[in-house]
Amino acid sequence: MIASISGTLRVREPGRVVVETGGIGYEVLVSLSTYYRLPAVGAPVFLEIRQIVREDALMLYGFSEPSEKRAFDLLIGVQHVGPKHALSILSALTPDDLAGAITREDIHKIDAVPGVGPKVAERVIRELRDKVGSLRGPGAAPIKMPGAAAGVAASNGAGSMVNDAVSALVNLAYTPIEARRAVDAILAESPSADLETVIRKSLAILLSER
């Protein structure tokens, strides 16, 4: 069982990275929260890993924070919440945000995540109500894109930023049309916004429409 991976970051995309170690590149699926914390391509990287084996595939899910890995494990233990749903939830909510929503029984905050819905949100609250303590980390620091990574995003140009932002939102189960409309709206309002800001503001628009 793979528990963690340390190596060189070879591919850095919203929702997906490739980490090379020992001459082998490992594809790892990540939430947007972890994506924001990643260094630039070519830099050393360390990720906590949850390996999930299925009949037709072996999937690796990576996390930059132990609290996010714990939240992922708890979420996939909820009925009808698979890894894809868990990553979507953790892309929209930090473990602390999720714990707060569960404590307040705020179904809307969870079912606003694409593909989740009220029934699944109710199950998350019901089944994790007594496990909220495991979700809370030692401190809720705001997610910021590292300076090196931000420089990479800026140097890629507006076209690449639009594509990256749309790709990140599509990975959260929005349609390309929905994603592009939200991204265009944010860039029209804030042309100099960085990738993290564009994705977060676009996600806020889309969540408010659900």
Side-chain angles (χ1 to χ4, degrees), residues 18 23 105 158:
V18 173
E105 299 191 0

Side-chain angles (χ1 to χ4, degrees), residues 16-36:
R16 171 185 175 270
V17 302
V18 173
V19 179
E20 182 180 297
T21 181
I24 300 174
Y26 293 88
E27 182 178 57
V28 183
L29 303 181
V30 299
S31 71
L32 293 183
S33 297
T34 286
Y35 168 75
Y36 293 144

Side-chain angles (χ1 to χ4, degrees), residues 90-124:
L90 292 172
S91 291
L93 304 172
T94 66
D96 271 23
D97 290 337
L98 178 60
I102 293 171
T103 300
R104 296 189 303 272
E105 299 191 0
D106 187 348
I107 292 175
H108 176 69
K109 193 173 186 68
I110 300 173
D111 78 28
V113 176
V116 174
K119 290 185 178 180
V120 171
E122 288 174 5
R123 289 193 190 97
V124 169

Side-chain angles (χ1 to χ4, degrees), residues 90-198:
L90 292 172
S91 291
L93 304 172
T94 66
D96 271 23
D97 290 337
L98 178 60
I102 293 171
T103 300
R104 296 189 303 272
E105 299 191 0
D106 187 348
I107 292 175
H108 176 69
K109 193 173 186 68
I110 300 173
D111 78 28
V113 176
V116 174
K119 290 185 178 180
V120 171
E122 288 174 5
R123 289 193 190 97
V124 169
I125 290 173
R126 182 174 64 252
E127 297 184 30
L128 299 186
R129 185 182 292 117
D130 297 331
K131 302 176 182 178
V132 167
S134 298
L135 289 170
R136 294 193 180 280
I143 298 170
K144 295 182 179 179
M145 183 182 289
V152 171
S155 66
N156 283 341
S160 178
M161 180 186 291
V162 169
N163 291 337
D164 286 348
V166 169
S167 175
L169 296 169
V170 168
N171 287 339
L172 289 176
Y174 289 106
T175 68
I177 293 175
E178 288 177 320
R180 183 58 187 259
R181 174 174 50 79
V183 169
D184 285 347
I186 295 304
L187 286 176
E189 178 183 300
S190 306
S192 61
D194 61 21
L195 179 60
E196 176 187 356
T197 301
V198 171

